[in-house]
């Protein structure tokens, strides 16, 4: 198996590593780069809780080789708040009660961020479509949808 | 390193299709990777013979394209994602069956990563994408093979997740022939929850001349080892107007087609699937007929 | 109407939400301790076998392997992963031994390894040599009770250790049925639903200087600690259970997962070990919902609708280990008592072993199955009498003072009629119910009701402790020990304390999740958190308030009963200018220089007596496609008698999330067990579907707040309440739409269509 030197830009910070060909992006982020806000469950593309943004697009870190993300901008949940100041999505998730166990939350917020990038003024239906790749077993989605709509409204 | 799910392999990163082809030809058990979501999933499931070399297409410039139009025909490149196709106005307006089919895939992440060609090359009999592409008479252009005649999508598969492609084959693009006259299509599937893989897929594409069906494609997936065209049903439509009796007759013919051989699995039962072939084909034909009548 | 309060009743953000929104929250699966090893379990490939020999010498000598363990490394102690066994005086059935010499399902634990990384651990597993003597196996109750069935546990030769045990019977049922004008009933089946939280089972164990620390997803940490001490033969003082946040519970944290294995590995390896199940491993090995596999029920009503009799036999499929199956059936039967005034009830339960994964507990424990069966049969009987199902329920539900879910318990409050009225109005019952339908897509509405509980007293031990410690600035630390599964109870408990002490919510710092720090608590199950732990917090806060008043009285030279506490200030009722702040008192008691320091620390222990049933009405409007059998839920409404919502946002969140799980149970969550080897075929989210955002019907939760005299500030429970009624109300709505009665869950299109076709064929 080959190992390839790779540069990642994780939340704007350059990280240089020697990466095994078979390492998944999730594995490099959580084990080598100490990013604990990226979670994993199904390992198969079905739950979306491993979602991170790659050049602002939502991707599944459990189904992507780390090497495929090299030289690109990777945004994880750690990259959203500025110091103590939460990103509007984070703040509305907190205030609306859109977080229960929180295991889906980093992915859900990042998926929502990608949605708002592509569609800044979404309807509730747009939000449902945009988030459907990220499962939440706890909330029943209502408060998540409200939080995303509120964050969208705020940036108007 | 703490966790590592995939088996070991070499990653090859060619920058031209020729180099990719060479890499595939010169090594042992190889696999092409486009978006990688099916390939890596398969490798995690630990099939008997995982590839020892993975050749990624990502570093080859110019492979992410959707070109052409309804009349001249469409070409989809190896790195064009499902999302690209879903958002393409050319596809939405000129090839609505394909647009409807890709919209059935819900996860934005899957659509962002997964490619159209990758989906097709997996060869699952429940593919929304392949069902629609067969209804559009799509063909696969392979590098270094069948130079004159691309492989029709209908002839791609030989069984569930089994295609006629060799590990050394690279699909250079998928082409959909242009359409001159009016055609009316519809795409319907049945799922347990909306993001689920379909328990049944149906696409119809009708070509009308003077209120009469000149030609028809009726494509059914997930009820046989491969996606197929219900030819008796198609025959029953040719030369006729799209009245209720004609549509019903075609739907029954599709249901009773000898190729319709569904199985019981965790998603559904054989008998339900068979019955639904009739219902969905009828509904798809009705939807297409309504569009034809409105035109 | 309830009086308006300051902090209680406000929509406060949860204390842990900030960490969770920023990715700073720790879960067992995200822990990466220095030197941590990866633990992996070797599982039986056979559904039933004797383990003749385990040789792990080759695995042990693989470089990178730190420890390998199997039966020879542990004391062979009988135990159960079901730590709730401690809540009954006689305990529940204990039928497990760690790495025992018998495996009883495909996946049972045989050995385990800890290695520097996952590939090494996997390779080591493949080097362990095991000799099995394969035994015949059975996968359904019917096969397990057959004459010549293989015996799964030697102490239960007929595989049915709990056999037709009469439970909660009263009156003369036979006579009551004779006097009934209509009798409805039949056989029903329900599914072995999966809790399916977004975090798979995970735990970490570390053993240093004779002390074991286990990071666990347990919802019941103190009892988990006791069970670990038992299995590992350690004094309780040497076992510490820490709960990072868990990626959901829903009952999956009522039982141990790999905690004993991680502990044994850590003790042998001398390093921390993480065991994190893959998703398929989780599906196939984590105890599922208590499986009430089959139910036979009949009800009889008099001609005027009077409820005469309810008779039922519940049959649990325990799988390989009993865990919570028998008690799940018991709770299911108990939950039939509260809703309606039956003249007689005759119920019994059986539980049978089979060779697949055992049944643990899931949210809605037992009540799910009962509400489906009871509410659809009652609907059927009401329809036979030509009555309106809402009016019937209005008239015949039990009321305050009436019989509770456990014979010695009495109903303390009931707002069911308000729930029914609000919901009927909201769904448009008058306009929509019982209207003839035609065409391919047919609409109908349905209703169902239930009464649940707020803690499992008086049947189970329900014991909670709370401690409040005050800082010198008058802020406080609140020590409690609930499950940390995202249910939001820690915020609600802080609200209760803040309300009593009239200080801001933010000044209560909740500390939970460490058995070395917190007092004993049962933990989180049976919807007990806000009610039971809340009562302990209320008592501790009241005690703290007394201490403050006492000190203020001394300071001001007045007597206690002439003082009031408002907004953190204690003042004389007679003279507003005579006051002292809590902050001043707290300061003086910590940094006092008159040799009278005495930090305010208040502790309370409670064992609640009442079960304070929350009532609920659920309303569904559905559209049934009669050609495909597809049921679309057009609208869902939960109207919930919460007593008082300590945090309405959290209460709604509990109900809304539960609604989706209830819809899954009703319509598509369908674990499929192989009949050839007992393996869970639906072992991933590609196969076992849960609701996504695009599947979401229009749904809402409405709260009715009329208070309960026994609850903290009138609160009753909500943790489980939200998922009982989807299955029965949807089933009843399907009947309203197309006239079929469904008796098997989930109500898949396949089943719906078959029933429609059978009806058309006149079968
Ligand atoms: C959660 C989830 C949900 C899904 N839902 C749906 C759904 O609802 N409907 C549906 O139809 N599909 C669905 N899919 C399938 C999905 O669309 C495909 O997995 C995806 O498009 C594959 O594309 P890829 O680029 O990732 O392929 P890859 O994984 O890169 O490749 C797949 C296969 O094709 C081969 N291959 C790729 N490109 C070429 C090429 N140019 N020439 C030759 N061989 C090639 C690879 O070697 C491999 O064998 C779903 C998948 C997931 C994970
Ligand atoms: S863990 Fe990646 S999609 Fe589920
Ligand atoms: S909050 Fe628990 S999975 Fe979404």
């Amino acid at each position: 198996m080959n190992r390839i030197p790779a540069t990642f830009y994780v939340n704007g910070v350059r990280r240089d590593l020697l990466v095994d060909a078979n390492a998944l992006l999730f594995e490099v982020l959580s084990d080598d780069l100490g990013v604990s806000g990226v979670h994993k469950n199904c390992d198969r593309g079905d739950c979306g809780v491993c979602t991170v943004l790659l050049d602002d697009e939502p991707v599944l870190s459990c189904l992507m080789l780390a090497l495929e993300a090299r030289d690109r901008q990777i945004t994880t949940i750690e990259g959203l708040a500025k110091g103590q100041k939460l990103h509007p999505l984070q703040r509305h998730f907190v205030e609306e009660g859109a977080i229960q166990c929180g295991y889906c939350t980093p992915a859900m917020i990042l998926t929502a961020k990608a949605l708002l990038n592509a569609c800044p003024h979404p309807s509730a239906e747009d939000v449902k479509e945009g988030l459907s790749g990220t499962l939440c077993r706890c909330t029943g989605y209502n408060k998540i949808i409200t939080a995303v709509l509120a964050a969208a409204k705020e940036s108007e | 390193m703490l966790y590592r799910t995939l088996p070991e392999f070499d990653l090859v990163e060619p920058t031209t299709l020729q180099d990719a082809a060479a890499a595939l030809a010169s090594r042992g058990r190889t696999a092409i990777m486009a978006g990688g979501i099916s390939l890596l999933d398969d490798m995690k499931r630990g099939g008997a013979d995982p590839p020892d070399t993975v050749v990624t297409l990502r570093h080859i410039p110019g492979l992410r394209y959707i070109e052409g139009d309804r009349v001249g025909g469409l070409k989809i490149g190896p790195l064009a994602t499902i999302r690209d196709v879903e958002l393409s106005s050319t596809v939405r307006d000129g090839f609505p069956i394909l647009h409807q089919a890709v919209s059935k895939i819900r996860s934005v992440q899957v659509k962002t990563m997964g490619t159209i060609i990758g989906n097709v090359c997996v060869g699952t009999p429940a593919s929304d994408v392949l069902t629609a592409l067969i209804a559009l008479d799509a063909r696969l252009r392979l590098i270094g093979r069948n130079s004159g005649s691309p492989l029709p999508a209908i002839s791609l598969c030989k069984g569930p997740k089994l295609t006629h492609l060799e590990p050394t084959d690279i699909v250079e693009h998928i082409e959909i022939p242009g359409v001159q006259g009016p055609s009316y299509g519809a795409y319907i599937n049945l799922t347990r929850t909306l993001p689920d893989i379909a328990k049944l897929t149906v696409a119809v594409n009708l070509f009308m001349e003077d209120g009469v069906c000149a030609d028809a494609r009726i494509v059914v997936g997930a009820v046989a080892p491969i996606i197929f065209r219900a030819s008796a049903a198609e025959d029953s439509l040719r030369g006729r107007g799209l009245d209720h009796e004609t549509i019903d007759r075609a739907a029954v013919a599709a249901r009773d087609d000898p190729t319709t051989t569904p199985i019981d699995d965790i998603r559904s039962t054989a008998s339900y699937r068979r019955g639904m072939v009739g219902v969905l084909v009828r509904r798809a034909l009705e939807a297409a007929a309504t569009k034809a009548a409105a035109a | 109407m309830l009086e308006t309060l300051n902090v209680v009743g406000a929509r406060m953000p949860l204390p842990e939400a900030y960490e969770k929104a920023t990715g700073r929250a720790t879960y067992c699966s995200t822990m990466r301790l220095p030197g941590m090893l990866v633990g992996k379990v070797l599982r039986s490939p056979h559904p039933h076998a004797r383990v003749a020999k385990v040789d792990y010498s080759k695995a042990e000598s693989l470089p990178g392997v730190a420890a390998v363990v199997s039966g020879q490394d542990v004391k062979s102690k009988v135990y159960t992963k079901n730590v709730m066994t401690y809540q009954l005086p006689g305990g529940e059935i204990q039928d497990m031994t760690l790495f025992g010499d018998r495996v009883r399902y495909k996946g049972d634990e045989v050995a385990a390894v800890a290695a520097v990384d996952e590939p090494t651990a996997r390779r080591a597993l493949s080097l362990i040599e095991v000799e099995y003597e394969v035994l015949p196996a059975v996968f359904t109750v019917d096969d397990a009770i057959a004459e010549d069935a293989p015996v799964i546990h030697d102490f239960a030769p007929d595989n049915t250790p709990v056999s037709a045990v009469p439970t909660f019977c009263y009156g003369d049922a036979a006579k009551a049925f004779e006097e009934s004008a209509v009798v409805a009933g039949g056989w029903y089946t329900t599914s072995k639903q999966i809790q399916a939280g977004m975090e798979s089972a995970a735990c970490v164990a570390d053993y240093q200087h004779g002390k074991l620390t286990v990071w666990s997803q347990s919802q019941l940490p103190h009892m988990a600690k006791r069970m670990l001490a038992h299995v590992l033969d350690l004094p309780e003082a040497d076992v510490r259970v820490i709960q990072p946040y868990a990626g959901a519970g829903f009952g999956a944290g009522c039982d141990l997962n790999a905690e004993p294995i991680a502990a044994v590995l850590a003790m042998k390896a001398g390093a921390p070990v993480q065991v994190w199940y893959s998703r398929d491993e989780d599906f196939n090995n984590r105890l599922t919902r208590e499986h009430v596999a089959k139910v036979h029920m009949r009800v009889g009503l008099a001609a005027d609708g009077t409820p005469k009799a309810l008779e039922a036999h519940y049959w649990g499929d325990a799988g390989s280990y009993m865990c919570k199956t028998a008690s799940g059936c018991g709770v299911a039967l108990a939950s039939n008592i509260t809703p309606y005034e039956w003249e007689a009830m005759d119920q019994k339960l059986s539980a049978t072993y089979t060779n697949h994964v055992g049944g643990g507990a899931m949210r809605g424990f037992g009540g799910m199955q009962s509400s489906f069966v009871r509410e659809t049969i009652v609907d059927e009987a009401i329809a036979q009498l030509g009555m309106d199902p809402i009016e019937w329920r209005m008239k015949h539900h039990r009321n305050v003072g009436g019989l509770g879910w456990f014979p010695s318990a009495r109903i303390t409050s009931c707002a069911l009629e308000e729930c029914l009225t609000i919901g009927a109005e909201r769904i448009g019952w008058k306009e929509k119910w019982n209207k003839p339908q035609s065409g391919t897509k047919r609409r109908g509405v349905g209703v169902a009701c239930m009464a649940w509980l707020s803690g499992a007293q008086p049947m189970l031990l329900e014991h909670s402790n709370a401690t409040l410690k005050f800082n010198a600035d008058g802020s406080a630390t609140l020590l409690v020990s609930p499950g940390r599964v995202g249910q939001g109870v820690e915020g609600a408990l802080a609200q209760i304390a803040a309300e009593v002490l009239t200080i801001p919510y933010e000044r209560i710092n909740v500390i939970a999740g460490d058995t070395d720090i917190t007092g004993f608590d049962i933990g989180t199950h049976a919807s007990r958190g806000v009610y039971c732990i809340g009562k302990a917090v209320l008592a501790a806060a009241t005690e703290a308030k007394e201490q403050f008043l006492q000190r203020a009285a001394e300071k001001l030279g007045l007597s206690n009963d002439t003082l009031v506490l408002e907004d953190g200030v204690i003042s004389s009722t007679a003279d507003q200018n005579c006051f002292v702040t809590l902050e001043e008192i707290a300061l003086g008691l910590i940094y006092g220089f008159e040799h009278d320091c005495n930090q305010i620390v208040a502790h309370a222990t409670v064992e609640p007596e009442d079960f304070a049933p929350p009532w609920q009405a659920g309303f569904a409007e559905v559209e049934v496609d009669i050609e495909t059998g597809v049921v679309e839920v057009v609208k869902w409404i939960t109207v919930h008698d919460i007593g008082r919502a300590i945090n309405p946002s959290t209460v709604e969140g509990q109900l809304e999330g539960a609604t989706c799980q209830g819809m899954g149970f009703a319509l598509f969550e369908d674990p499929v067990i192989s009949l050839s080897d007992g393996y869970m075929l639906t072992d991933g989210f590609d196969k076992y579907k849960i609701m996504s955002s695009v599947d979401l019907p229009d749904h809402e939760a409405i709260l009715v707040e009329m208070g309960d005299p026994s609850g903290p500030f009138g609160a009753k429970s909500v943790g489980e309440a939200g998922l009982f009624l989807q299955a029965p109300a949807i089933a009843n709505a399907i009947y309203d739409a197309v006239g079929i009665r469904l008796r098997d869950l989930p109500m898949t299109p396949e089943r719906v269509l078959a029933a429609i076709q059978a009806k058309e064929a006149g079968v």
Side-chain angles (χ1 to χ4, degrees), chain C residues 379-443:
Chain C
D379 207 70
E380 206 172 323
I382 298 169
Q384 286 178 31
L385 290 175
M387 292 180 175
D388 180 320
I390 292 187
E391 280 166 23
W392 186 90
R393 286 176 167 90
M394 286 274 195
K395 199 159 158 202
H396 295 297
H397 70 85
R398 292 193 204 266
N399 218 324
V400 177
L403 201 55
W405 82 297
F406 192 67
S408 67
R410 294 283 147 181
I411 296 166
T412 43
S413 63
C414 172
L416 180 63
E417 289 168 35
E418 289 74 8
C419 295
L420 282 165
T421 307
I422 293 168
E425 172 78 31
R426 191 90 179 169
I427 198 102
W429 186 263
K430 276 213 185 73
E431 305 78 57
K432 292 176 181 163
W433 177 66
N434 204 13
K435 297 285 178 288
Q437 297 283 313
S438 59
T440 312
K441 298 200 172 178
R442 302 189 181 172
R443 289 202 172 197

Side-chain angles (χ1 to χ4, degrees), chain A residues 40-50 60 62:
Chain A
K40 187 183 78 163
N41 180 1
C42 75
D43 222 3
R44 297 270 190 272
D46 298 297
C47 76
V49 306
C50 63
L60 303 168
C62 77

